[in-house]
Amino acid sequence: MYYQYILNIIHDFNIISVVLRIVLAASCGAVLGIERAKSHQAAGMRTYMVVCLGSAIVMLTSHYMYLQFNTGDPARLGAQVISGIGFLGAGSIILEGKTRIRGLTTAAGLWTSACIGLALGIGFYSGGILATAAVYIITSKLKPVAKHFKTDEIDFAIYIQMESSEGFSDVFLFIKEYGGAVEKVEMNKSHKDGTCSGMIYIHLPVSDNPDSFLEMLRIQPQVIAVKEISYM
C-alpha cells in the first residue's frame, strides 16, 4: 500500500516528482560528463548536466502545458530537442592535427544525454537510469574492445610543392619505404617559377606517427613545402 502510494507520487505531476526528475536528470548528466572530462573532452560534466537538465525541463514544460491547457502535443517540444541538439554536438567535433577526428563519441553522448533528459522529464525513470548506465559502460569500459576492431591504417591527404615534377618519384619511393601507400595523386600545373605541386592521398599504419612522417618528408630532396590538408 505504501509502495503504491510512493509510485503514484513520483509518477503524478507534482512538486515532488518535478524535483525528482530535475535531480535525476542533473545526476545522470553528471555521470556521463565526468567520464568525458576524464578523457579530456571539451564537453565535460557541467555541459552534460545542463543538456540533460534542459531536456528534462522541456518535457516537464510540455507535460505542464498539456495538463494546464488540455491541448497540444506533449511530444512536440521534445522532438525539437532531439533535432536541435545537433548544433552542440557538432561543436564538440574537432580535427586533431588534421589527421584524426575527435569528439564523435562526445557528440553522440550529448545527443543521448538529451534523450535521457527527455525520458526522465516525462517520468520514464527506469529507461533514463538504465540508459545512463549503458552509455557510461559503453564510453568508459568498452574502449579496449573498440580498439581491437579499429582499422590498422591512418588515411590523410597532403599538399606538397616540389622543385620539379621529377621529384615526385622520390617522394613516392620514400612513402613506400616508410611503410605507407599512395592511394591517389592529383597533380597541379607547373608554376611559373618552375616548381610543381599536387595533392597526395596516403595510407599509413596506425602504429606510425603522422607528425614524424611529415617532418621526415619535409627534408626530402626537392621538397619545398608540405601541408597537411584533411582527414579522409
Side-chain angles (χ1 to χ4, degrees):
M1 186 71 177
Y2 183 74
Y3 176 73
Q4 187 62 43
Y5 174 72
I6 296 296
L7 286 180
N8 290 337
I9 289 179
I10 64 176
H11 283 97
D12 288 341
F13 195 87
N14 54 66
I15 187 63
I16 296 177
S17 68
V18 169
V19 171
L20 177 61
R21 296 175 196 188
I22 290 176
V23 171
L24 278 177
S27 301
C28 289
V31 169
L32 301 181
I34 288 173
E35 190 282 327
R36 290 287 84 194
K38 289 181 179 179
S39 299
H40 306 289
Q41 299 295 322
M45 184 185 73
R46 292 185 299 171
T47 302
Y48 272 79
M49 289 179 70
V50 171
V51 167
C52 198
L53 176 58
S55 302
I57 291 295
V58 167
M59 286 308 294
L60 284 168
T61 303
S62 297
H63 195 183
Y64 175 82
M65 292 170 60
Y66 181 76
L67 294 176
Q68 185 73 12
F69 304 106
N70 197 27
T71 185
D73 180 6
R76 180 176 297 176
L77 290 179
Q80 298 302 314
V81 170
I82 293 176
S83 59
I85 194 64
F87 86 95
L88 187 59
S92 67
I93 300 174
I94 60 174
L95 291 176
E96 186 182 55
K98 297 184 179 180
T99 59
R100 295 181 179 89
I101 293 180
R102 290 188 59 192
L104 290 175
T105 302
T106 300
L110 285 170
W111 184 84
T112 306
S113 178
C115 295
I116 291 171
L118 295 175
L120 295 173
I122 202 62
F124 186 24
Y125 301 110
S126 58
I129 294 173
L130 289 174
T132 300
V135 173
Y136 181 81
I137 292 173
I138 291 170
T139 56
S140 64
K141 306 301 181 182
L142 296 186
K143 289 181 181 179
V145 178
K147 288 181 179 179
H148 178 73
F149 292 100
K150 189 176 181 180
T151 179
D152 59 353
E153 289 184 333
I154 299 173
D155 298 345
F156 65 104
I158 61 170
Y159 172 84
I160 186 168
Q161 186 175 3
M162 307 288 299
E163 293 179 359
S164 66
S165 58
E166 289 77 12
F168 276 93
S169 59
D170 294 333
V171 168
F172 299 152
L173 180 61
F174 165 76
I175 294 172
K176 182 178 180 180
E177 292 176 346
Y178 194 86
V182 176
E183 175 68 14
K184 185 172 64 172
V185 179
E186 296 178 357
M187 298 288 294
N188 296 332
K189 294 181 179 180
S190 299
H191 304 291
K192 293 181 179 180
D193 58 0
T195 62
C196 186
S197 61
M199 291 280 293
I200 304 178
Y201 298 82
I202 304 170
H203 290 305
L204 278 185
V206 75
S207 57
D208 288 340
N209 187 335
D211 294 332
S212 298
F213 167 78
L214 292 173
E215 288 301 321
M216 294 180 65
L217 182 59
R218 289 187 177 99
I219 62 175
Q220 296 302 305
Q222 297 199 48
V223 174
I224 298 175
V226 177
K227 183 178 181 181
E228 198 174 341
I229 299 301
S230 63
Y231 179 87
M232 297 296 293

